[in-house]
Amino acid sequence: SSSSSSSSLSSSSSSSSSTAAAAAAGQGIPKADDVPVVVGMFWAIFDQLSDVMKKKVLVFVTGTDRLPLGGVKELNMVIQSGGSNTANLPSAHTCFNTLILPEY
């Protein structure tokens, strides 16, 4: 069942990247009904962070504090399920701009 723990929490990778771009651009929390609760909670918290803390999240997920040349709209960030084991901490695959969130 490792495939279920690595499945994307968003409905598609393109909606995931547009959701990431919208939230990172300060456009608020995604309103889609198909967004899992943990993803909505992440964006709700992210939206309240200072710019310094948002930059730290960017470094955690991407490995760099710089946005792509084309700006935030070019950042293809994916949020994936880390499974239901609440003892796990969030992790990231920086080469793929992927955040792994346990389903707390």
Side-chain angles (χ1 to χ4, degrees), residues 31-49:
K31 304 289 188 225
D33 293 334
D34 61 340
V35 175
V37 173
V38 70
V39 175
M41 289 181 347
F42 169 80
W43 289 121
I45 292 167
F46 182 85
D47 205 34
Q48 296 174 17
L49 296 176

Side-chain angles (χ1 to χ4, degrees), residues 87-102:
N88 291 343
L89 295 173
S91 60
H93 298 291
T94 56
C95 292
F96 302 103
N97 299 334
T98 302
L99 177 64
I100 311 297
L101 285 179

Side-chain angles (χ1 to χ4, degrees), residues 39-87:
V39 175
M41 289 181 347
F42 169 80
W43 289 121
I45 292 167
F46 182 85
D47 205 34
Q48 296 174 17
L49 296 176
S50 68
D51 288 344
V52 171
M53 292 303 294
K54 286 179 181 177
K55 197 175 221 184
K56 289 182 180 189
V57 171
L58 181 65
V59 169
F60 182 75
V61 175
T62 67
T64 182
D65 64 351
R66 307 281 182 189
L67 289 173
L69 188 58
V72 73
K73 67 183 176 194
E74 297 297 321
L75 181 64
N76 187 21
M77 187 174 129
V78 176
I79 299 176
Q80 290 184 339
S81 171
S84 60
N85 185 349
T86 58

Side-chain angles (χ1 to χ4, degrees), residues 11-25:
S11 59
S12 73
S13 62
S14 64
S15 68
S16 171
S17 63
S18 64
T19 300

